[in-house]
Short mmCIF file of all heavy atoms in Angstrom, two decimals:
data_model
loop_
_atom_site.label_atom_id
_atom_site.label_comp_id
_atom_site.label_asym_id
_atom_site.label_seq_id
_atom_site.Cartn_x
_atom_site.Cartn_y
_atom_site.Cartn_z
N MET A 1 13.18 -6.10 4.60
CA MET A 1 12.96 -5.51 5.92
C MET A 1 11.47 -5.27 6.14
O MET A 1 10.70 -5.15 5.18
CB MET A 1 13.74 -4.20 6.03
CG MET A 1 13.15 -3.04 5.24
SD MET A 1 13.86 -1.46 5.64
CE MET A 1 15.46 -1.58 4.86
N GLU A 2 11.12 -5.22 7.38
CA GLU A 2 9.72 -4.96 7.73
C GLU A 2 9.51 -3.45 7.83
O GLU A 2 10.34 -2.74 8.39
CB GLU A 2 9.42 -5.57 9.10
CG GLU A 2 9.53 -7.08 9.13
CD GLU A 2 8.20 -7.76 8.87
OE1 GLU A 2 7.18 -7.25 9.34
OE2 GLU A 2 8.20 -8.78 8.17
N LEU A 3 8.41 -2.99 7.30
CA LEU A 3 8.10 -1.58 7.40
C LEU A 3 7.14 -1.35 8.57
O LEU A 3 6.34 -2.21 8.91
CB LEU A 3 7.45 -1.09 6.12
CG LEU A 3 8.30 -1.20 4.84
CD1 LEU A 3 7.49 -0.79 3.64
CD2 LEU A 3 9.55 -0.38 4.95
N LYS A 4 7.25 -0.18 9.16
CA LYS A 4 6.40 0.15 10.30
C LYS A 4 5.06 0.69 9.81
O LYS A 4 5.02 1.62 9.01
CB LYS A 4 7.13 1.21 11.14
CG LYS A 4 6.45 1.55 12.43
CD LYS A 4 7.31 2.56 13.18
CE LYS A 4 6.44 3.49 14.01
NZ LYS A 4 7.16 4.72 14.37
N LEU A 5 3.99 0.11 10.32
CA LEU A 5 2.65 0.57 9.94
C LEU A 5 2.32 1.86 10.67
O LEU A 5 2.36 1.91 11.91
CB LEU A 5 1.62 -0.52 10.28
CG LEU A 5 0.18 -0.24 9.87
CD1 LEU A 5 0.03 -0.19 8.35
CD2 LEU A 5 -0.75 -1.30 10.45
N LEU A 6 2.04 2.90 9.91
CA LEU A 6 1.73 4.20 10.52
C LEU A 6 0.23 4.40 10.66
O LEU A 6 -0.24 4.97 11.64
CB LEU A 6 2.29 5.34 9.66
CG LEU A 6 3.80 5.41 9.49
CD1 LEU A 6 4.14 6.56 8.55
CD2 LEU A 6 4.48 5.62 10.82
N ASP A 7 -0.50 3.97 9.67
CA ASP A 7 -1.94 4.24 9.68
C ASP A 7 -2.66 3.23 8.80
O ASP A 7 -2.07 2.66 7.88
CB ASP A 7 -2.18 5.66 9.15
CG ASP A 7 -3.52 6.20 9.60
OD1 ASP A 7 -4.21 5.54 10.42
OD2 ASP A 7 -3.90 7.28 9.13
N GLN A 8 -3.91 3.04 9.09
CA GLN A 8 -4.72 2.11 8.32
C GLN A 8 -6.11 2.70 8.19
O GLN A 8 -6.72 3.08 9.18
CB GLN A 8 -4.77 0.79 9.07
CG GLN A 8 -5.54 -0.28 8.34
CD GLN A 8 -5.64 -1.57 9.16
OE1 GLN A 8 -4.90 -1.76 10.11
NE2 GLN A 8 -6.56 -2.42 8.79
N THR A 9 -6.58 2.82 6.97
CA THR A 9 -7.90 3.38 6.77
C THR A 9 -8.69 2.50 5.81
O THR A 9 -8.12 1.70 5.08
CB THR A 9 -7.85 4.81 6.19
OG1 THR A 9 -7.01 4.82 5.05
CG2 THR A 9 -7.34 5.80 7.20
N SER A 10 -9.99 2.68 5.82
CA SER A 10 -10.86 1.90 4.97
C SER A 10 -11.95 2.82 4.44
O SER A 10 -12.59 3.52 5.20
CB SER A 10 -11.46 0.76 5.80
OG SER A 10 -12.16 -0.12 4.96
N TYR A 11 -12.10 2.84 3.13
CA TYR A 11 -13.13 3.68 2.52
C TYR A 11 -14.26 2.80 1.99
O TYR A 11 -13.98 1.80 1.33
CB TYR A 11 -12.58 4.45 1.32
CG TYR A 11 -11.33 5.23 1.58
CD1 TYR A 11 -10.09 4.72 1.22
CD2 TYR A 11 -11.39 6.49 2.17
CE1 TYR A 11 -8.93 5.44 1.44
CE2 TYR A 11 -10.22 7.21 2.40
CZ TYR A 11 -9.00 6.68 2.03
OH TYR A 11 -7.85 7.39 2.25
N PRO A 12 -15.49 3.20 2.23
CA PRO A 12 -16.58 2.45 1.59
C PRO A 12 -16.61 2.72 0.09
O PRO A 12 -16.24 3.82 -0.35
CB PRO A 12 -17.84 2.99 2.27
CG PRO A 12 -17.46 4.29 2.87
CD PRO A 12 -15.97 4.30 3.06
N HIS A 13 -17.01 1.73 -0.66
CA HIS A 13 -17.11 1.88 -2.11
C HIS A 13 -18.42 1.26 -2.57
O HIS A 13 -18.80 0.20 -2.08
CB HIS A 13 -15.92 1.19 -2.79
CG HIS A 13 -15.77 1.53 -4.25
ND1 HIS A 13 -16.61 1.02 -5.20
CD2 HIS A 13 -14.90 2.32 -4.88
CE1 HIS A 13 -16.24 1.51 -6.38
NE2 HIS A 13 -15.20 2.30 -6.22
N ASP A 14 -19.10 1.94 -3.48
CA ASP A 14 -20.40 1.46 -3.94
C ASP A 14 -20.31 0.18 -4.75
O ASP A 14 -21.32 -0.50 -4.97
CB ASP A 14 -21.10 2.53 -4.79
CG ASP A 14 -21.60 3.68 -3.94
OD1 ASP A 14 -21.72 3.49 -2.71
OD2 ASP A 14 -21.87 4.76 -4.49
N GLY A 15 -19.13 -0.15 -5.22
CA GLY A 15 -18.95 -1.37 -6.00
C GLY A 15 -19.26 -1.16 -7.46
O GLY A 15 -19.52 -0.05 -7.92
N TYR A 16 -19.21 -2.28 -8.19
CA TYR A 16 -19.39 -2.20 -9.64
C TYR A 16 -20.56 -3.07 -10.07
O TYR A 16 -20.47 -3.83 -11.02
CB TYR A 16 -18.10 -2.63 -10.34
CG TYR A 16 -16.94 -1.73 -10.00
CD1 TYR A 16 -16.03 -2.07 -9.01
CD2 TYR A 16 -16.77 -0.51 -10.67
CE1 TYR A 16 -14.97 -1.23 -8.69
CE2 TYR A 16 -15.72 0.32 -10.36
CZ TYR A 16 -14.82 -0.04 -9.37
OH TYR A 16 -13.78 0.78 -9.06
N GLY A 17 -21.65 -3.00 -9.34
CA GLY A 17 -22.85 -3.73 -9.72
C GLY A 17 -23.03 -5.06 -9.02
O GLY A 17 -24.08 -5.67 -9.11
N ALA A 18 -22.02 -5.52 -8.31
CA ALA A 18 -22.12 -6.82 -7.63
C ALA A 18 -22.11 -6.64 -6.11
O ALA A 18 -21.75 -7.54 -5.37
CB ALA A 18 -20.99 -7.73 -8.06
N GLY A 19 -22.49 -5.46 -5.67
CA GLY A 19 -22.51 -5.20 -4.24
C GLY A 19 -21.41 -4.24 -3.84
O GLY A 19 -20.46 -4.04 -4.59
N SER A 20 -21.57 -3.67 -2.66
CA SER A 20 -20.60 -2.68 -2.22
C SER A 20 -19.44 -3.34 -1.49
O SER A 20 -19.52 -4.49 -1.06
CB SER A 20 -21.28 -1.64 -1.33
OG SER A 20 -21.82 -2.27 -0.19
N GLY A 21 -18.40 -2.59 -1.35
CA GLY A 21 -17.21 -3.12 -0.68
C GLY A 21 -16.42 -1.99 -0.05
O GLY A 21 -16.98 -0.92 0.24
N THR A 22 -15.17 -2.24 0.14
CA THR A 22 -14.32 -1.21 0.73
C THR A 22 -12.98 -1.15 -0.01
O THR A 22 -12.59 -2.09 -0.69
CB THR A 22 -13.99 -1.51 2.22
OG1 THR A 22 -13.39 -2.80 2.31
CG2 THR A 22 -15.22 -1.46 3.10
N ILE A 23 -12.33 -0.04 0.15
CA ILE A 23 -10.95 0.09 -0.29
C ILE A 23 -10.13 0.28 0.98
O ILE A 23 -10.37 1.21 1.75
CB ILE A 23 -10.77 1.29 -1.25
CG1 ILE A 23 -11.55 1.04 -2.55
CG2 ILE A 23 -9.28 1.49 -1.56
CD1 ILE A 23 -11.56 2.23 -3.48
N ASP A 24 -9.25 -0.67 1.23
CA ASP A 24 -8.44 -0.63 2.44
C ASP A 24 -7.06 -0.07 2.11
O ASP A 24 -6.43 -0.50 1.15
CB ASP A 24 -8.29 -2.02 3.03
CG ASP A 24 -9.65 -2.64 3.35
OD1 ASP A 24 -10.58 -1.89 3.68
OD2 ASP A 24 -9.76 -3.88 3.25
N GLU A 25 -6.65 0.87 2.91
CA GLU A 25 -5.36 1.50 2.67
C GLU A 25 -4.47 1.35 3.90
O GLU A 25 -4.90 1.64 5.01
CB GLU A 25 -5.60 2.98 2.36
CG GLU A 25 -4.42 3.66 1.72
CD GLU A 25 -4.77 5.09 1.31
OE1 GLU A 25 -4.65 5.98 2.16
OE2 GLU A 25 -5.17 5.29 0.16
N TYR A 26 -3.26 0.89 3.67
CA TYR A 26 -2.29 0.73 4.75
C TYR A 26 -1.12 1.65 4.45
O TYR A 26 -0.55 1.60 3.36
CB TYR A 26 -1.78 -0.72 4.82
CG TYR A 26 -2.86 -1.73 5.10
CD1 TYR A 26 -3.66 -2.21 4.07
CD2 TYR A 26 -3.07 -2.22 6.39
CE1 TYR A 26 -4.66 -3.14 4.32
CE2 TYR A 26 -4.06 -3.16 6.65
CZ TYR A 26 -4.86 -3.60 5.61
OH TYR A 26 -5.84 -4.53 5.87
N ILE A 27 -0.79 2.47 5.41
CA ILE A 27 0.30 3.43 5.21
C ILE A 27 1.48 3.04 6.09
O ILE A 27 1.36 2.94 7.31
CB ILE A 27 -0.18 4.85 5.51
CG1 ILE A 27 -1.33 5.20 4.56
CG2 ILE A 27 0.96 5.86 5.35
CD1 ILE A 27 -2.14 6.39 5.00
N TYR A 28 2.59 2.78 5.43
CA TYR A 28 3.80 2.36 6.13
C TYR A 28 4.87 3.44 6.05
O TYR A 28 4.88 4.25 5.12
CB TYR A 28 4.38 1.09 5.48
CG TYR A 28 3.49 -0.12 5.60
CD1 TYR A 28 2.58 -0.42 4.59
CD2 TYR A 28 3.55 -0.94 6.72
CE1 TYR A 28 1.75 -1.53 4.70
CE2 TYR A 28 2.72 -2.04 6.83
CZ TYR A 28 1.83 -2.34 5.82
OH TYR A 28 1.01 -3.43 5.93
N GLU A 29 5.76 3.40 7.02
CA GLU A 29 6.88 4.34 6.99
C GLU A 29 7.89 3.86 5.95
O GLU A 29 8.22 2.69 5.87
CB GLU A 29 7.53 4.39 8.38
CG GLU A 29 8.54 5.49 8.53
CD GLU A 29 9.12 5.51 9.94
OE1 GLU A 29 10.04 4.72 10.20
OE2 GLU A 29 8.63 6.29 10.77
N CYS A 30 8.37 4.81 5.18
CA CYS A 30 9.40 4.55 4.17
C CYS A 30 10.68 4.04 4.86
O CYS A 30 10.94 4.41 6.00
CB CYS A 30 9.64 5.89 3.49
SG CYS A 30 10.66 5.81 2.08
N PRO A 31 11.48 3.20 4.18
CA PRO A 31 12.72 2.72 4.80
C PRO A 31 13.63 3.84 5.30
O PRO A 31 14.33 3.67 6.30
CB PRO A 31 13.40 1.94 3.67
CG PRO A 31 12.28 1.47 2.82
CD PRO A 31 11.24 2.56 2.88
N CYS A 32 13.65 4.99 4.63
CA CYS A 32 14.50 6.10 5.07
C CYS A 32 13.83 6.96 6.13
O CYS A 32 14.45 7.82 6.73
CB CYS A 32 14.91 6.96 3.87
SG CYS A 32 13.59 8.00 3.25
N GLY A 33 12.53 6.75 6.35
CA GLY A 33 11.82 7.50 7.38
C GLY A 33 11.29 8.83 6.94
O GLY A 33 10.60 9.53 7.69
N LYS A 34 11.58 9.24 5.68
CA LYS A 34 11.16 10.57 5.23
C LYS A 34 9.86 10.55 4.45
O LYS A 34 9.21 11.57 4.29
CB LYS A 34 12.26 11.17 4.34
CG LYS A 34 13.48 11.57 5.12
CD LYS A 34 14.55 12.14 4.18
CE LYS A 34 15.86 12.32 4.91
NZ LYS A 34 16.99 12.43 3.98
N GLY A 35 9.53 9.38 3.92
CA GLY A 35 8.32 9.29 3.11
C GLY A 35 7.41 8.19 3.62
O GLY A 35 7.58 7.69 4.73
N THR A 36 6.45 7.83 2.82
CA THR A 36 5.54 6.76 3.19
C THR A 36 5.40 5.78 2.03
O THR A 36 5.66 6.11 0.88
CB THR A 36 4.13 7.30 3.55
OG1 THR A 36 3.66 8.11 2.48
CG2 THR A 36 4.15 8.10 4.83
N VAL A 37 5.01 4.57 2.38
CA VAL A 37 4.72 3.53 1.41
C VAL A 37 3.25 3.18 1.59
O VAL A 37 2.82 2.86 2.70
CB VAL A 37 5.61 2.30 1.64
CG1 VAL A 37 5.26 1.19 0.64
CG2 VAL A 37 7.08 2.67 1.50
N ILE A 38 2.49 3.29 0.53
CA ILE A 38 1.05 3.09 0.62
C ILE A 38 0.64 1.81 -0.10
O ILE A 38 0.92 1.63 -1.28
CB ILE A 38 0.31 4.30 0.03
CG1 ILE A 38 0.67 5.55 0.83
CG2 ILE A 38 -1.20 4.07 0.05
CD1 ILE A 38 0.52 6.83 0.07
N TYR A 39 0.00 0.93 0.66
CA TYR A 39 -0.51 -0.33 0.12
C TYR A 39 -2.02 -0.21 0.08
O TYR A 39 -2.66 0.06 1.10
CB TYR A 39 -0.07 -1.48 1.02
CG TYR A 39 -0.64 -2.83 0.62
CD1 TYR A 39 0.00 -3.62 -0.32
CD2 TYR A 39 -1.81 -3.30 1.20
CE1 TYR A 39 -0.52 -4.85 -0.68
CE2 TYR A 39 -2.33 -4.53 0.84
CZ TYR A 39 -1.69 -5.30 -0.10
OH TYR A 39 -2.21 -6.51 -0.45
N GLU A 40 -2.59 -0.36 -1.10
CA GLU A 40 -4.02 -0.18 -1.26
C GLU A 40 -4.64 -1.47 -1.77
O GLU A 40 -4.16 -2.05 -2.74
CB GLU A 40 -4.25 0.94 -2.27
CG GLU A 40 -5.63 1.54 -2.21
CD GLU A 40 -5.76 2.67 -3.23
OE1 GLU A 40 -6.02 2.36 -4.39
OE2 GLU A 40 -5.57 3.83 -2.85
N LYS A 41 -5.67 -1.89 -1.11
CA LYS A 41 -6.33 -3.14 -1.48
C LYS A 41 -7.81 -2.87 -1.73
O LYS A 41 -8.50 -2.33 -0.88
CB LYS A 41 -6.16 -4.16 -0.35
CG LYS A 41 -6.61 -5.55 -0.76
CD LYS A 41 -6.40 -6.55 0.36
CE LYS A 41 -7.53 -6.44 1.35
NZ LYS A 41 -7.49 -7.45 2.42
N ASP A 42 -8.27 -3.24 -2.92
CA ASP A 42 -9.69 -3.09 -3.24
C ASP A 42 -10.40 -4.34 -2.79
O ASP A 42 -10.03 -5.45 -3.17
CB ASP A 42 -9.90 -2.90 -4.74
CG ASP A 42 -9.21 -1.65 -5.25
OD1 ASP A 42 -9.11 -0.70 -4.47
OD2 ASP A 42 -8.79 -1.64 -6.41
N ASN A 43 -11.39 -4.17 -1.97
CA ASN A 43 -12.13 -5.28 -1.40
C ASN A 43 -13.57 -5.16 -1.86
O ASN A 43 -14.48 -4.92 -1.06
CB ASN A 43 -12.00 -5.21 0.12
CG ASN A 43 -12.25 -6.56 0.77
OD1 ASN A 43 -12.49 -7.56 0.09
ND2 ASN A 43 -12.23 -6.58 2.07
N ILE A 44 -13.76 -5.28 -3.17
CA ILE A 44 -15.04 -5.01 -3.80
C ILE A 44 -15.48 -6.27 -4.56
O ILE A 44 -14.66 -6.83 -5.30
CB ILE A 44 -14.93 -3.80 -4.77
CG1 ILE A 44 -14.52 -2.55 -3.97
CG2 ILE A 44 -16.23 -3.57 -5.52
CD1 ILE A 44 -13.99 -1.43 -4.82
N PRO A 45 -16.73 -6.71 -4.38
CA PRO A 45 -17.16 -7.93 -5.08
C PRO A 45 -16.91 -7.85 -6.58
O PRO A 45 -17.28 -6.88 -7.23
CB PRO A 45 -18.65 -7.99 -4.79
CG PRO A 45 -18.81 -7.26 -3.50
CD PRO A 45 -17.77 -6.16 -3.53
N GLY A 46 -16.26 -8.85 -7.13
CA GLY A 46 -15.98 -8.91 -8.56
C GLY A 46 -14.82 -8.03 -8.99
O GLY A 46 -14.48 -7.98 -10.16
N PHE A 47 -14.24 -7.34 -8.06
CA PHE A 47 -13.16 -6.43 -8.43
C PHE A 47 -12.16 -6.40 -7.29
O PHE A 47 -12.34 -5.70 -6.31
CB PHE A 47 -13.72 -5.03 -8.69
CG PHE A 47 -12.69 -4.05 -9.18
CD1 PHE A 47 -12.34 -3.99 -10.51
CD2 PHE A 47 -12.06 -3.18 -8.29
CE1 PHE A 47 -11.38 -3.08 -10.96
CE2 PHE A 47 -11.10 -2.28 -8.73
CZ PHE A 47 -10.77 -2.23 -10.06
N ARG A 48 -11.15 -7.22 -7.39
CA ARG A 48 -10.13 -7.25 -6.36
C ARG A 48 -8.79 -6.89 -6.98
O ARG A 48 -8.33 -7.53 -7.90
CB ARG A 48 -10.05 -8.64 -5.72
CG ARG A 48 -11.24 -8.89 -4.83
CD ARG A 48 -11.25 -10.28 -4.28
NE ARG A 48 -12.57 -10.58 -3.74
CZ ARG A 48 -12.98 -10.20 -2.54
NH1 ARG A 48 -12.18 -9.53 -1.75
NH2 ARG A 48 -14.20 -10.47 -2.13
N ASP A 49 -8.24 -5.85 -6.45
CA ASP A 49 -6.97 -5.40 -6.99
C ASP A 49 -6.14 -4.86 -5.84
O ASP A 49 -6.67 -4.56 -4.77
CB ASP A 49 -7.21 -4.31 -8.04
CG ASP A 49 -6.02 -4.14 -8.98
OD1 ASP A 49 -5.08 -4.97 -8.91
OD2 ASP A 49 -6.04 -3.19 -9.76
N ARG A 50 -4.86 -4.77 -6.06
CA ARG A 50 -4.01 -4.21 -5.03
C ARG A 50 -2.89 -3.43 -5.69
O ARG A 50 -2.47 -3.75 -6.79
CB ARG A 50 -3.45 -5.30 -4.11
CG ARG A 50 -2.69 -6.37 -4.82
CD ARG A 50 -2.49 -7.57 -3.91
NE ARG A 50 -3.77 -8.13 -3.49
CZ ARG A 50 -3.94 -8.88 -2.41
NH1 ARG A 50 -2.92 -9.16 -1.63
NH2 ARG A 50 -5.11 -9.37 -2.10
N SER A 51 -2.49 -2.40 -5.03
CA SER A 51 -1.38 -1.63 -5.57
C SER A 51 -0.54 -1.13 -4.42
O SER A 51 -1.01 -1.00 -3.29
CB SER A 51 -1.91 -0.46 -6.41
OG SER A 51 -2.55 0.48 -5.59
N ILE A 52 0.70 -0.88 -4.73
CA ILE A 52 1.60 -0.38 -3.70
C ILE A 52 2.51 0.65 -4.33
O ILE A 52 2.99 0.47 -5.45
CB ILE A 52 2.37 -1.55 -3.04
CG1 ILE A 52 3.15 -1.06 -1.84
CG2 ILE A 52 3.27 -2.28 -4.02
CD1 ILE A 52 3.43 -2.14 -0.83
N HIS A 53 2.65 1.75 -3.67
CA HIS A 53 3.57 2.75 -4.20
C HIS A 53 4.19 3.55 -3.07
O HIS A 53 3.64 3.63 -1.97
CB HIS A 53 2.85 3.67 -5.20
CG HIS A 53 1.73 4.44 -4.62
ND1 HIS A 53 0.46 3.95 -4.52
CD2 HIS A 53 1.69 5.68 -4.08
CE1 HIS A 53 -0.31 4.86 -3.96
NE2 HIS A 53 0.40 5.92 -3.67
N SER A 54 5.32 4.13 -3.36
CA SER A 54 6.05 4.91 -2.38
C SER A 54 5.99 6.38 -2.77
O SER A 54 6.00 6.72 -3.94
CB SER A 54 7.50 4.45 -2.35
OG SER A 54 8.27 5.34 -1.58
N THR A 55 5.89 7.24 -1.76
CA THR A 55 5.91 8.68 -2.04
C THR A 55 7.35 9.18 -2.08
O THR A 55 7.60 10.35 -2.30
CB THR A 55 5.17 9.47 -0.95
OG1 THR A 55 5.83 9.24 0.30
CG2 THR A 55 3.71 9.04 -0.85
N CYS A 56 8.30 8.28 -1.84
CA CYS A 56 9.70 8.66 -1.74
C CYS A 56 10.44 8.13 -2.96
O CYS A 56 10.56 6.92 -3.14
CB CYS A 56 10.28 8.08 -0.46
SG CYS A 56 12.00 8.44 -0.21
N LYS A 57 10.91 9.02 -3.81
CA LYS A 57 11.54 8.60 -5.06
C LYS A 57 12.83 7.79 -4.85
O LYS A 57 12.99 6.73 -5.44
CB LYS A 57 11.81 9.82 -5.94
CG LYS A 57 11.88 9.46 -7.40
CD LYS A 57 11.60 10.68 -8.28
CE LYS A 57 11.73 10.29 -9.75
NZ LYS A 57 13.00 10.74 -10.34
N PRO A 58 13.76 8.25 -4.01
CA PRO A 58 14.99 7.46 -3.81
C PRO A 58 14.70 6.03 -3.34
O PRO A 58 15.31 5.08 -3.83
CB PRO A 58 15.75 8.24 -2.75
CG PRO A 58 15.23 9.63 -2.84
CD PRO A 58 13.80 9.51 -3.26
N CYS A 59 13.77 5.87 -2.42
CA CYS A 59 13.46 4.52 -1.92
C CYS A 59 12.69 3.73 -2.98
O CYS A 59 12.87 2.52 -3.08
CB CYS A 59 12.66 4.59 -0.63
SG CYS A 59 13.66 5.09 0.77
N GLY A 60 11.87 4.40 -3.77
CA GLY A 60 11.16 3.72 -4.84
C GLY A 60 12.12 3.13 -5.86
O GLY A 60 11.85 2.11 -6.48
N GLU A 61 13.26 3.78 -6.04
CA GLU A 61 14.26 3.28 -6.98
C GLU A 61 15.14 2.21 -6.36
O GLU A 61 15.71 1.38 -7.04
CB GLU A 61 15.13 4.45 -7.47
CG GLU A 61 14.37 5.37 -8.41
CD GLU A 61 15.11 6.68 -8.69
OE1 GLU A 61 16.20 6.89 -8.13
OE2 GLU A 61 14.57 7.49 -9.46
N LYS A 62 15.22 2.24 -5.05
CA LYS A 62 16.14 1.36 -4.35
C LYS A 62 15.48 0.05 -3.89
O LYS A 62 16.14 -0.97 -3.76
CB LYS A 62 16.67 2.12 -3.12
CG LYS A 62 17.96 1.58 -2.57
CD LYS A 62 18.48 2.53 -1.50
CE LYS A 62 19.62 1.88 -0.71
NZ LYS A 62 20.01 2.69 0.45
N TYR A 63 14.17 0.09 -3.64
CA TYR A 63 13.49 -1.07 -3.06
C TYR A 63 12.31 -1.54 -3.90
O TYR A 63 11.67 -0.75 -4.60
CB TYR A 63 12.95 -0.71 -1.67
CG TYR A 63 14.00 -0.37 -0.66
CD1 TYR A 63 14.30 0.96 -0.39
CD2 TYR A 63 14.68 -1.36 0.04
CE1 TYR A 63 15.28 1.30 0.55
CE2 TYR A 63 15.64 -1.04 0.98
CZ TYR A 63 15.94 0.28 1.24
OH TYR A 63 16.89 0.61 2.16
N ASP A 64 12.03 -2.82 -3.77
CA ASP A 64 10.76 -3.37 -4.22
C ASP A 64 9.90 -3.51 -2.97
O ASP A 64 10.35 -4.06 -1.97
CB ASP A 64 10.97 -4.76 -4.83
CG ASP A 64 11.54 -4.68 -6.24
OD1 ASP A 64 11.12 -3.78 -6.99
OD2 ASP A 64 12.41 -5.50 -6.57
N PHE A 65 8.67 -3.03 -3.05
CA PHE A 65 7.82 -3.06 -1.87
C PHE A 65 6.76 -4.15 -1.97
O PHE A 65 6.19 -4.40 -3.03
CB PHE A 65 7.13 -1.71 -1.68
CG PHE A 65 8.08 -0.60 -1.38
CD1 PHE A 65 8.37 0.37 -2.32
CD2 PHE A 65 8.71 -0.53 -0.15
CE1 PHE A 65 9.27 1.39 -2.06
CE2 PHE A 65 9.61 0.48 0.13
CZ PHE A 65 9.89 1.44 -0.83
N GLY A 66 6.54 -4.78 -0.84
CA GLY A 66 5.45 -5.74 -0.72
C GLY A 66 4.51 -5.20 0.34
O GLY A 66 4.61 -4.05 0.74
N ARG A 67 3.62 -6.05 0.83
CA ARG A 67 2.71 -5.59 1.86
C ARG A 67 3.46 -5.51 3.18
O ARG A 67 3.66 -6.50 3.86
CB ARG A 67 1.54 -6.56 1.97
CG ARG A 67 0.54 -6.08 3.00
CD ARG A 67 -0.62 -7.03 3.07
NE ARG A 67 -1.52 -6.60 4.13
CZ ARG A 67 -2.70 -7.14 4.34
NH1 ARG A 67 -3.12 -8.11 3.60
NH2 ARG A 67 -3.45 -6.70 5.33
N GLY A 68 3.90 -4.31 3.51
CA GLY A 68 4.61 -4.09 4.77
C GLY A 68 6.07 -4.52 4.75
O GLY A 68 6.69 -4.61 5.79
N THR A 69 6.59 -4.76 3.55
CA THR A 69 7.99 -5.15 3.46
C THR A 69 8.70 -4.37 2.36
O THR A 69 8.07 -3.90 1.42
CB THR A 69 8.15 -6.65 3.15
OG1 THR A 69 7.53 -6.92 1.90
CG2 THR A 69 7.53 -7.52 4.22
N ALA A 70 9.99 -4.26 2.48
CA ALA A 70 10.82 -3.65 1.43
C ALA A 70 11.99 -4.56 1.17
O ALA A 70 12.64 -5.04 2.10
CB ALA A 70 11.30 -2.28 1.89
N THR A 71 12.24 -4.83 -0.11
CA THR A 71 13.36 -5.68 -0.50
C THR A 71 14.28 -4.86 -1.39
O THR A 71 13.82 -4.27 -2.37
CB THR A 71 12.86 -6.90 -1.30
OG1 THR A 71 11.80 -7.51 -0.57
CG2 THR A 71 13.96 -7.91 -1.51
N GLN A 72 15.53 -4.81 -1.02
CA GLN A 72 16.47 -4.03 -1.79
C GLN A 72 16.69 -4.64 -3.17
O GLN A 72 16.86 -5.85 -3.29
CB GLN A 72 17.79 -3.93 -1.03
CG GLN A 72 18.64 -2.77 -1.52
CD GLN A 72 19.66 -2.33 -0.48
OE1 GLN A 72 19.67 -2.83 0.65
NE2 GLN A 72 20.51 -1.40 -0.85
N LYS A 73 16.63 -3.80 -4.19
CA LYS A 73 16.87 -4.28 -5.55
C LYS A 73 18.34 -4.55 -5.75
O LYS A 73 19.17 -3.94 -5.11
CB LYS A 73 16.42 -3.21 -6.56
CG LYS A 73 14.93 -3.00 -6.61
CD LYS A 73 14.57 -1.91 -7.61
CE LYS A 73 13.09 -1.62 -7.59
NZ LYS A 73 12.72 -0.47 -8.42
N ASN A 74 18.63 -5.45 -6.66
CA ASN A 74 20.04 -5.76 -6.94
C ASN A 74 20.66 -4.67 -7.80
O ASN A 74 20.03 -4.12 -8.65
CB ASN A 74 20.15 -7.09 -7.67
CG ASN A 74 19.77 -8.26 -6.77
OD1 ASN A 74 20.09 -8.25 -5.58
ND2 ASN A 74 19.07 -9.22 -7.32
ZN1 ZN B 101 12.47 6.92 1.55
#
């Protein structure tokens, strides 16, 4: 299912010696509507990483989250 985007923010980051970058954060509404799902993307030269986590424990156990999507676990 598609998650609803609630907010999007971007933080400047000094970087790790190869120039500065940003950390982009996308906040989505949890499938149950009670929590949020946070997708964080590091946009820093030489250091690109992404993470996604839910603030809602029941949904975290029930779904696998992607960027703006939730897939029910078997
Ligand atoms: Zn939830």
Side-chain angles (χ1 to χ4, degrees):
M1 73 168 73
E2 296 267 322
L3 298 175
K4 186 178 149 199
L5 184 65
L6 297 177
D7 201 7
Q8 183 183 343
T9 51
S10 188
Y11 308 99
H13 192 286
D14 287 342
Y16 298 98
S20 60
T22 56
I23 295 174
D24 302 329
E25 196 174 86
Y26 299 82
I27 299 164
Y28 295 93
E29 190 178 82
C30 188
C32 74
K34 289 179 190 161
T36 53
V37 178
I38 299 155
Y39 175 87
E40 199 179 82
K41 190 179 81 175
D42 298 330
N43 202 2
I44 298 163
F47 185 83
R48 287 175 195 279
D49 200 8
R50 57 194 60 202
S51 68
I52 188 155
H53 62 274
S54 170
T55 61
C56 179
K57 205 157 178 257
C59 287
E61 288 169 358
K62 201 172 168 188
Y63 296 98
D64 283 321
F65 295 107
R67 182 179 176 172
T69 61
T71 310
Q72 199 158 355
K73 292 179 184 173
N74 292 322

